[in-house]
Amino acid sequence: MDARAASLPCGSAMQNTPGEEPRVVTDTVPVAAVRCDRDGRYLWVNPTYAKWVSRPATQLLGLRIGEVIGARAMREIQPFVARVLAGEPVQYERLVELPGLGRRWIKWAYTPTFDAAGRVEGWVATGMDIHSAREADRKRDEFLATLAHELRNPLAPIRNAVAILGRKGPHDPEVAWTQGVIERQVEQLSRLIDDLLDIERISQGKFVLRPERVPLEVTIDMALEASRPIINAAGHHLSVLLPSERVVIDADPARLARVFSTLLKNAARHMQARGSINVTATVESGAVLVRIEDSGVGVPAGTEPGVGLTLVRGILALHQGSLELRAADSGACTEAVVRVPIAGPGNLPETKPLRDEVLQAPPMRILVADDNRDAADSLQRVLALYGHEVRVVYDGASAVSVGNEFRPRVAILDIGMPGTNGYEVARALRTHQGERVTLVALTGWGQEADRRRAADAGFDHHLIKPVDPQTLNTLLADVAKK
C-alpha cells in the first residue's frame, strides 16, 4: 500500500456501498463519513466531509486521501490506518485543520470493511466535531490550575511564618495553640487544593498509579503517620487491629495510604474531643476489608460530605476497590469500609524502613527568588534559622545577576516572576555555573506539564507551595551529600 494512503479517519463495517436508506442518514447528520479502499482512495463521501475539505463530493471519488489532507497529516494518522487495515476498529481524537472546517478537534472512528472471503478491503471513517467539548475541558483545566496557583501562593508565607514561630523556642501556651491551629488549617487547605486537581485528573484518565506488591500494614503505617498529629491534637483514642498473617496487595502505596489517611482525618475532625477511632482489617473472599469506625454522630443518610471522599472513591476504583459508608454496629457512629483485592501469589520486594530521624543540612549558600515578597522574606528567615547564608531577590533579572556574583550552592526559584521568569533564570544559572548549583523550583504551578517544563529548563527539583520547611531541609541535606 502506498504510504500516502495511510491517512484518513473512517468507521462501520460493511461489505457493500451504503444503500439508499443509510445514505439518507449520512447525508443529513452533522457527522463526516467516508469509505476508502485499501489504497486510501475515496469510494464514497458524505456532504459533511465534502464541506470540511471544501471540495464537491464528486471530485473526491477516486482521489487518494493524501491528495486532499496533505503529507504531514497522513504521517500522523498512518498508525491508525495500519491498525484498521489489520482488521482492528480504531477510535482517536485529533486536532485537524481543513479549509472548510478550520482548526478543530475531531473524534474519528475507523471500522474495517471486508470482502466476501473475509479479507479487509478498506475501511469506513466517521468524524465528529468535539471542539467545543475539548475547549471546555481545556478552559476548566486552565481555571483549576490557575486557582490552585493563586491559592498556594499566600499559603507559602503563612506556613513559613508558623515555622519561624516554632523555631523560636518555648513560648506562651496560647501562642503554641494558635501555631498548631494555623499549621493544621494550612495543611487542610493545601490538601484540598491537591484533592481538587487529583479529582480532575481521575475524571480525565490522567491519574497515574505506580502499583507494586506491598504489605497492607505498610500503607496503614503511612496513613497513621500522616493522620496522627490531627488525631492526637483532638485527644482521640486510636486502636489498630490487623490480621495476624501478612496481607499483601497490589497497590500504589502512597495513593492507598492517602485513602486511609483521608478517612482517618475525616473521623478525627467530625468528632468532639476525646473520641475514639478503631481501625480493623479482615480478609474476606479474596479481598481485605479495612473498617475505620469513629464515635462521632455518624453520616446522615444520603449524604457524601467532602471533596476528600470523592477522591477516595476515585483512587479505590483505580485499585478495583470500593468504599462504603454506613452506621456502625455499635450505634449512631460512622463506619467507613474499604475493600481492596488481595494480591496473587508472588514474592515481596525488599522494603526499606521509614526514615524517622530529622536530617539537618550543613550551612550552605542559598539564593531565594520570588516576586511575592512575603514568601521570599519568610523563606529567607526559615533558612537562616537552619544556619544557611541566604540572599533574597524579587525578580528574575536580579536572580541572574546576584546568582552569578553570589554563586549559591542551591537556588530556590519561583516560576511566575515578571520579566525574566524562573525557567529563564534556571537556564542562565545552569549556563554560567554548570552542575555545581542545584536548582529548585518552588511554585504554585503543580501540573505534570509544569514538572516536565521545569525539568526541561534544568531544574533538579520541583516543589509545590506551600512547602513543609522540614521537607525542604531534608532535600538540602541530600544535596549536601553530593
Side-chain angles (χ1 to χ4, degrees):
M1 183 186 79
D2 191 317
R4 295 177 302 167
S7 186
L8 196 75
C10 304
S12 100
M14 58 182 72
Q15 290 186 348
N16 301 311
T17 302
E20 193 60 36
E21 196 170 295
R23 185 183 296 276
V24 169
V25 175
T26 56
D27 283 0
T28 56
V29 297
V31 174
V34 302
R35 185 176 180 184
C36 312
D37 66 14
R38 286 193 62 91
D39 293 327
R41 291 186 177 88
Y42 296 109
L43 302 177
W44 171 85
V45 300
N46 78 337
T48 299
Y49 184 83
K51 181 179 178 181
W52 283 9
V53 297
S54 290
R55 295 199 191 188
T58 54
Q59 291 184 9
L60 292 171
L61 300 182
L63 293 179
R64 284 182 170 168
I65 300 166
E67 298 174 75
V68 176
I69 67 172
R72 179 178 178 181
M74 286 191 302
R75 286 194 298 271
E76 292 174 354
I77 67 172
Q78 170 70 43
F80 305 113
V81 173
R83 286 166 59 188
V84 77
L85 289 176
E88 176 189 353
V90 178
Q91 291 190 22
Y92 67 96
E93 296 174 9
R94 180 168 168 266
L95 188 62
V96 304
E97 188 160 8
L98 296 171
L101 185 66
R103 191 172 177 82
R104 308 285 290 181
W105 276 100
I106 304 297
K107 182 173 184 177
W108 293 104
Y110 292 8
T111 305
T113 59
F114 302 88
D115 61 19
R119 295 178 297 241
V120 177
E121 64 177 6
W123 74 95
V124 171
T126 56
M128 180 179 296
D129 186 345
I130 59 167
H131 194 78
S132 296
R134 286 296 299 258
E135 273 297 289
D137 287 345
R138 185 190 64 78
K139 289 178 180 178
R140 182 181 60 195
D141 292 348
E142 189 176 85
F143 167 76
L144 287 175
T146 302
L147 176 64
H149 174 266
E150 294 305 313
L151 291 174
R152 283 169 172 152
N153 269 329
L155 289 176
I158 295 173
R159 171 168 270 178
N160 291 339
V162 172
I164 292 169
L165 288 176
R167 296 280 296 182
K168 285 296 184 179
H171 44 241
D172 187 284
E174 290 296 316
V175 175
W177 177 85
T178 302
Q179 178 189 345
V181 170
I182 298 172
E183 283 180 336
R184 289 189 293 274
Q185 296 308 310
V186 167
E187 178 64 28
Q188 174 70 357
L189 285 171
S190 301
R191 179 61 64 192
L192 180 60
I193 294 168
D194 292 339
D195 287 352
L196 285 169
L197 294 176
D198 281 343
I199 289 171
E200 179 68 8
R201 293 185 188 109
I202 289 175
S203 70
Q204 295 185 1
K206 298 178 180 178
F207 192 87
V208 179
L209 294 181
R210 295 176 175 82
E212 59 184 80
R213 296 178 61 83
V214 60
L216 173 68
E217 65 264 25
V218 170
T219 64
I220 298 291
D221 287 345
M222 293 169 66
L224 292 174
E225 183 181 23
S227 55
R228 266 205 180 94
I230 294 175
I231 295 172
N232 293 342
H236 298 318
H237 172 72
L238 173 68
S239 69
V240 180
L241 181 60
L242 301 180
S244 56
E245 294 186 2
R246 170 169 280 187
V247 176
V248 179
I249 53 180
D250 286 323
D252 182 323
R255 303 298 196 185
L256 196 57
R258 189 167 173 184
V259 165
F260 295 133
S261 66
T262 297
L263 295 174
L264 287 166
K265 290 175 182 179
N266 281 354
R269 292 191 182 101
H270 296 123
M271 286 191 293
Q272 293 184 345
R274 304 191 182 283
S276 63
I277 301 174
N278 300 317
V279 180
T280 307
T282 57
V283 176
E284 298 180 18
S285 303
V288 60
L289 273 62
V290 180
R291 294 177 171 87
I292 299 176
E293 180 185 345
D294 65 66
S295 59
V297 296
V299 177
T303 62
E304 281 278 316
V307 169
L309 288 183
T310 303
L311 178 62
V312 163
R313 291 191 183 280
I315 293 175
L316 287 174
L318 294 174
H319 286 87
Q320 287 76 53
S322 63
L323 168 68
E324 181 183 358
L325 293 179
R326 61 195 184 198
D329 296 337
S330 57
C333 315
T334 301
E335 185 180 54
V337 183
V338 172
R339 181 183 182 90
V340 181
I342 294 176
N347 296 325
L348 274 173
E350 292 187 11
T351 56
K352 297 180 180 179
L354 294 175
R355 187 168 64 183
D356 294 324
E357 74 274 13
V358 176
L359 297 180
Q360 177 64 55
M364 61 180 67
R365 297 156 73 91
I366 300 175
L367 172 67
V368 172
D370 197 324
D371 61 314
N372 182 325
R373 287 178 175 259
D374 285 342
D377 292 343
S378 60
L379 182 58
Q380 184 273 331
R381 285 169 168 78
V382 169
L383 293 171
L385 288 172
Y386 282 104
H388 302 297
E389 181 184 355
V390 186
R391 293 277 185 91
V392 175
V393 294
Y394 308 110
D395 61 83
S398 298
V400 175
S401 174
V402 172
N404 289 333
E405 175 267 321
F406 182 52
R407 300 188 68 78
R409 179 66 182 84
V410 177
I412 303 175
L413 309 175
D414 181 39
I415 296 298
M417 294 181 287
T420 306
N421 63 34
Y423 300 125
E424 295 166 326
V425 174
R427 293 188 184 97
L429 293 180
R430 183 69 74 209
T431 298
H432 287 92
Q433 301 185 42
E435 298 300 320
R436 68 166 304 277
V437 60
T438 297
L439 301 176
V440 180
L442 182 55
T443 173
W445 299 106
Q447 302 286 66
E448 188 58 35
D450 301 315
R451 296 181 182 277
R452 289 196 299 269
R453 190 176 178 189
D456 291 343
F459 280 102
D460 301 290
H461 304 279
H462 185 279
L463 301 179
I464 306 300
K465 295 179 178 178
V467 66
D468 177 6
Q470 185 52 50
T471 298
L472 181 56
N473 189 59
T474 300
L475 184 153
L476 295 175
D478 289 339
V479 169
K481 295 177 182 177
K482 298 177 182 178

